[in-house]
């Protein structure tokens, strides 16, 4: 167990016979989903086979979008306080720099583009958020062992640490139980895609360093000829080091300390990190580009690694899993609360399968560069790296393409756009852009308004609200709906935020009277150039869409 972390113990002696929502897997996705469901008023039970939070760094890079999602349940504060923010990185061919990239960033942003933090901290803070929200029961050392789908839900057998089998009924079962998902195997569902042969040894070491926080990569470094090495700084003076091992090397031998430590020492010597160090954790990994074709099977839903496996390059694994949780939580809540038919959950599957396929496409390209699958790819990579030494225009080929939110093209939830009425801004199916605002509470960010219910953004500099817009503020029969007037000047009030920097008006391509409808997960559902002339009935739009999203 990592210093400073204590095991989380079961506090309730017996398991219930039935639950509305059962989450199989208490990793970062399962615990975050539990917190999000509780935030939406849905109780759930989480079963985790391990006795507590994970060991080892595992997934370490949280994107800005993931921090927004975790911010909806109040986990962003401890994560940003503990984590190490970064905006870019450097790549080297042998010992010469061939790339320095920076992700879009600005001083007034709510979150950095990326934050490095070990997975066990993410799990700890998501777990705490779930418990604060109430209605979440987490059981450790308890694993799902059998799944029997029924018309009214799912019958589940689970095995406790003492070996006893408990049977329960869940109205809905969500599989967050990882790449070797028992739920997926019990249902006989198969991944689609491919697995790469190249292996990476993963090492956490503790060493004091003053080096800046950025992504570091070496191709064919003198310290480990023929290998590729990645390094990330983490909290608590921990380095995360990933290095490629040759195809002929035995994976069992590759993770033995006597084979790992000399390679690490050679690389630390090469880059001038001379402080004493010690190993903390060693594992091995190979890239997979796999997804289920659908993330819903009756009353069973899949999220995170149970639904898709994405290469580590570009840090799309955990971040896409947290986007799964953000997409699913509000939809399942509306279904359970009787505000929508369960066909709404089909949109979860179609949107997130689309996202997984896009993440896999980018991940595959990065994998083929980082760990060439055959000699032809290796020759092309070396040619690109050699050319990058003398031709800066080639260096973009080396960029690892860090994760970014996926546009939900052709989602059944997208409302028709007004075509030429907008020349920019976020279309339906895109995440709502960020903007710095002044609110009654002081300086804040637009994305902080998202995450609970639907939000209608009404762009207007006219004081007060017109009658046709005021009716929207009275709420909706099918879901919570909050109306926010975005003004370029003046003073904030309970319904008004002030866009003093003009970021919101610009990024949403707004004019006087423009209206945006934002989903609870921060995605644009629809937009109208002039709310008055469109005669929009938000309640009717939501009711029609949610009852029959297809």
């Amino acid at each position: 167990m990592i210093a400073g972390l204590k095991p989380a113990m079961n506090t309730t002696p017996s398991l219930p016979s039935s639950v509305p929502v059962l989450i199989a897997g208490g990793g970062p996705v399962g615990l975050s989903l539990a917190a999000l469901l509780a935030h939406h008023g849905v109780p759930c039970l989480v079963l985790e086979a391990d006795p507590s939070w994970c060991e080892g760094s595992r997934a370490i890079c949280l994107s800005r979008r993931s921090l927004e999602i975790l911010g909806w349940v109040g986990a962003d504060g401890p994560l940003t306080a503990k984590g190490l923010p970064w905006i870019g990185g450097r790549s080297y061919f042998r010992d010469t720099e061939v790339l320095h990239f920076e992700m879009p960033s600005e001083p007034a942003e709510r979150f950095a583009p990326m934050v490095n933090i070990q997975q066990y901290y993410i799990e700890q803070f998501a777990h705490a958020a779930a418990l604060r929200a109430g209605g979440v029961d987490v059981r450790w050392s308890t694993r799902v062992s059998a799944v029997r789908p029924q018309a009214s839900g799912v019958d589940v057998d689970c095995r406790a640490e003492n070996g006893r089998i408990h049977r329960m009924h869940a109205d809905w079962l969500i599989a967050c139980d990882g790449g070797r998902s028992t739920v997926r195997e019990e249902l006989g569902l198969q991944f689609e895609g491919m697995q790469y042969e190249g292996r990476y040894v993963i090492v956490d070491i503790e060493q004091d360093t003053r080096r800046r926080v950025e992504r570091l990569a070496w191709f064919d470094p003198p310290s480990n000829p023929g290998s590729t090495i990645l390094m990330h700084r983490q909290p608590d003076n921990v380095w995360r080091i990933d290095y490629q091992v040759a195809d002929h090397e035995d994976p069992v031998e590759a993770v033995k300390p006597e084979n790992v430590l000399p390679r690490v020492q050679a690389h630390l010597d090469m880059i001038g990190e001379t402080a004493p160090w010690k190993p903390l954790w060693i594992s091995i990994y190979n890239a997979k580009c796999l997804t289920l074709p659908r993330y819903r099977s009756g009353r069973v839903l899949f999220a995170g690694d149970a639904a898709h496996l994405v290469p580590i390059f570009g840090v799309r694994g955990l971040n896409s899993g947290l986007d799964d949780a953000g997409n699913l939580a509000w939809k399942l809540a509306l279904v359970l609360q009787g505000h929508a038919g369960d066909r709404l959950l089909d949109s979860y599957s179609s949107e997130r399968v689309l996202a997984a396929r896009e993440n896999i496409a980018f991940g595959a390209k990065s994998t083929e560069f980082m760990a060439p699958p055959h000699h032809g790819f290796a020759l092309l990579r070396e040619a690109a790296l050699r050319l990058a030494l003398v031709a800066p225009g080639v260096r973009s080929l080396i960029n690892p393409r860090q994760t970014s939110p996926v546009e939900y093209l052709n989602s059944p939830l997208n409302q028709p756009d007004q075509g030429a009425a907008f020349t920019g801004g976020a279309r339906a199916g895109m995440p709502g852009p960020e903007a710095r605002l002044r609110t009654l509470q002081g300086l804040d960010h637009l994305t902080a308004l998202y995450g609970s219910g639907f939000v209608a953004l009404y762009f207007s500099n006219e004081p007060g609200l017109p009658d046709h817009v005021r009716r929207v503020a009275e709420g909706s029969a099918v879901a919570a709906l909050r109306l926010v007037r975005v003004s370029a000047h003046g003073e904030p009030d309970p319904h008004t935020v002030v866009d003093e920097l003009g970021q919101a008006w610009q990024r949403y391509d707004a004019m006087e009277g423009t209206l945006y409808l934002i989903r609870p997960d921060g995605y644009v559902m629809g937009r109208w150039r002039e709310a008055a002339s469109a005669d929009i009935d938000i309640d009717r739009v939501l009711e029609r869409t949610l009852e029959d999203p297809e």
Side-chain angles (χ1 to χ4, degrees):
M1 185 60 57
I2 303 300
L5 296 183
K6 298 182 182 296
M9 306 300 294
N10 295 329
T11 57
T12 307
S14 61
L15 288 165
S17 59
S18 65
V19 292
V21 178
L22 175 62
I23 298 176
V29 175
L31 291 170
S32 297
L33 178 57
L36 288 163
L37 285 170
H39 179 65
H40 288 291
V42 176
C44 61
L45 172 65
V46 181
L47 303 181
E48 169 52 46
D50 289 339
S52 185
W53 311 301
C54 74
E55 295 186 7
S57 60
R58 302 180 187 267
I60 63 167
C61 298
L62 281 180
S63 69
R64 180 185 287 124
R65 167 69 180 171
S66 291
L67 289 166
E68 290 174 7
I69 293 170
L70 291 164
W72 301 338
V73 295
D76 56 325
L79 283 165
T80 54
K82 186 67 178 178
L84 303 180
W86 57 281
I87 63 172
R90 301 174 190 273
S91 296
Y92 300 84
F93 178 43
R94 296 179 179 156
D95 56 359
T96 302
E97 183 177 308
V98 291
L99 173 70
H100 177 211
F101 73 91
E102 289 190 355
M103 294 172 283
S105 182
E106 57 190 38
E109 282 178 331
R110 184 180 175 199
F111 300 116
M114 289 284 172
V115 169
N116 282 356
I117 186 168
Q118 295 91 321
Q119 181 174 311
Y120 45 79
Y121 283 123
I122 301 170
E123 293 178 1
Q124 180 188 14
F125 299 146
H127 181 208
L131 297 183
R132 282 197 306 271
V136 176
D137 185 2
V138 180
R139 302 301 182 92
W140 308 96
S141 301
T142 308
R143 66 177 66 242
V144 169
S145 57
V147 176
R148 296 177 297 279
Q150 308 294 330
S152 61
V154 189
D155 291 338
V156 176
D157 289 354
C158 56
R159 184 185 300 273
E161 188 175 19
N162 60 12
R164 297 183 61 179
I165 299 294
H166 180 87
R167 293 185 175 177
M168 71 176 72
H169 177 84
D171 295 336
W172 293 91
L173 171 62
I174 308 175
C176 299
D177 52 343
R180 297 185 178 90
S181 170
T182 298
V183 177
R184 192 180 62 241
E185 291 180 2
E186 281 286 299
L187 297 183
L189 302 177
Q190 300 294 321
F191 274 142
E192 298 176 349
M194 66 177 296
Q195 176 171 308
Y196 291 89
E197 294 300 322
R199 294 185 178 91
Y200 273 76
V201 169
I202 303 172
V203 191
D204 286 348
I205 69 167
E206 184 178 342
Q207 184 189 44
D208 189 17
T209 181
R210 297 186 181 276
R211 194 178 292 259
R212 65 182 298 178
V213 182
E214 56 186 353
R215 175 196 181 274
L216 299 172
W218 287 264
F219 301 96
D220 192 21
S223 61
N224 285 261
S227 181
T228 301
I229 297 180
L230 301 174
M231 291 184 72
H232 280 276
R233 278 190 60 194
Q234 300 178 82
D236 306 327
N237 289 328
V238 175
W239 275 114
R240 160 70 174 266
I241 304 172
D242 301 47
Y243 66 83
Q244 186 182 10
V245 296
D247 292 342
H248 66 268
E249 291 187 63
D250 183 341
V252 175
E253 293 294 320
V255 295
K256 290 183 176 179
E258 60 266 30
N259 295 320
V260 172
L261 303 191
R263 289 189 174 187
V264 172
Q265 184 65 66
H267 190 68
L268 293 174
D269 290 343
M270 188 194 87
I271 65 174
E273 293 290 344
T274 58
W277 63 278
K278 64 179 180 180
L280 301 175
W281 178 71
I282 302 172
S283 187
I284 197 165
Y285 163 89
N286 69 315
K288 301 175 179 67
C289 292
L290 302 169
T291 182
L292 288 173
R294 289 174 296 279
Y295 296 167
R296 180 185 178 189
S297 178
R299 292 291 189 99
V300 182
L301 300 152
F302 293 85
D305 285 356
H308 46 74
L309 292 171
V310 184
I312 61 172
F313 312 114
V315 295
R316 293 176 174 86
L318 172 58
N319 290 301
S320 62
L322 292 174
D323 241 327
D324 292 345
N327 187 300
L328 176 57
W330 68 272
K331 295 177 179 178
L332 184 56
L334 288 179
V335 171
L336 286 168
Q337 293 161 359
H339 296 310
D342 66 15
R343 290 185 65 187
L344 176 61
L345 298 172
D346 294 335
S347 73
Y348 162 71
S349 178
S350 62
E351 289 176 352
R352 294 310 300 159
V353 169
L354 171 73
R357 295 194 187 283
E358 182 170 317
N359 284 323
I360 283 171
F362 281 115
K365 291 179 182 178
S366 296
T367 299
E368 288 162 359
F369 194 89
M370 300 298 295
H374 56 70
H375 185 62
F377 273 97
L379 289 176
L380 288 172
R381 185 184 79 169
E382 182 164 349
L385 289 167
R386 287 183 179 276
L387 191 55
L389 292 171
V390 295
V394 178
R395 293 174 181 176
S396 62
L397 297 175
I398 308 170
N399 195 315
R401 303 182 187 89
Q402 305 297 333
T403 183
S404 61
V406 172
E407 179 180 357
Y408 297 146
L409 288 168
N410 303 316
S411 168
L413 301 186
N414 294 347
Q415 298 303 298
D417 212 350
Q418 292 184 353
F422 288 90
T423 59
R427 301 181 296 272
M430 296 176 69
E434 181 64 284
R436 185 72 177 266
L437 305 170
R438 186 159 54 88
T439 71
L440 277 178
Q441 291 72 39
L443 292 176
D444 209 338
H445 293 82
L446 188 52
T447 58
L449 302 177
Y450 307 153
S452 294
F454 291 86
V455 176
L457 297 177
Y458 176 63
F459 289 84
S460 176
N461 289 318
E462 297 296 327
L465 297 171
D467 290 342
H468 68 278
V469 175
R470 190 180 298 278
R471 286 194 294 270
V472 175
E474 296 173 357
S476 168
V478 297
L481 176 62
R482 179 184 178 188
L483 174 65
V484 177
R485 181 171 72 95
V486 183
S487 175
H489 50 74
E491 295 299 322
D493 61 41
H495 290 294
T496 301
V497 296
V498 181
D499 181 28
E500 292 179 322
L501 301 179
Q503 293 176 336
W505 280 66
Q506 178 186 7
R507 295 170 184 178
Y508 286 78
D509 188 25
M511 298 174 60
E512 180 68 34
T514 295
L515 184 72
Y516 272 75
L517 178 60
I518 309 296
R519 301 170 6 166
D521 57 2
Y523 268 75
V524 176
M525 189 168 175
R527 60 180 181 170
W528 296 266
R529 173 56 77 199
E530 295 180 2
S533 62
D535 189 25
I536 299 165
D537 184 341
I538 295 293
D539 186 71
R540 176 168 49 81
V541 171
L542 293 180
E543 187 173 10
R544 182 181 68 246
T545 305
L546 297 181
E547 286 187 348
D548 190 5
E550 302 207 5

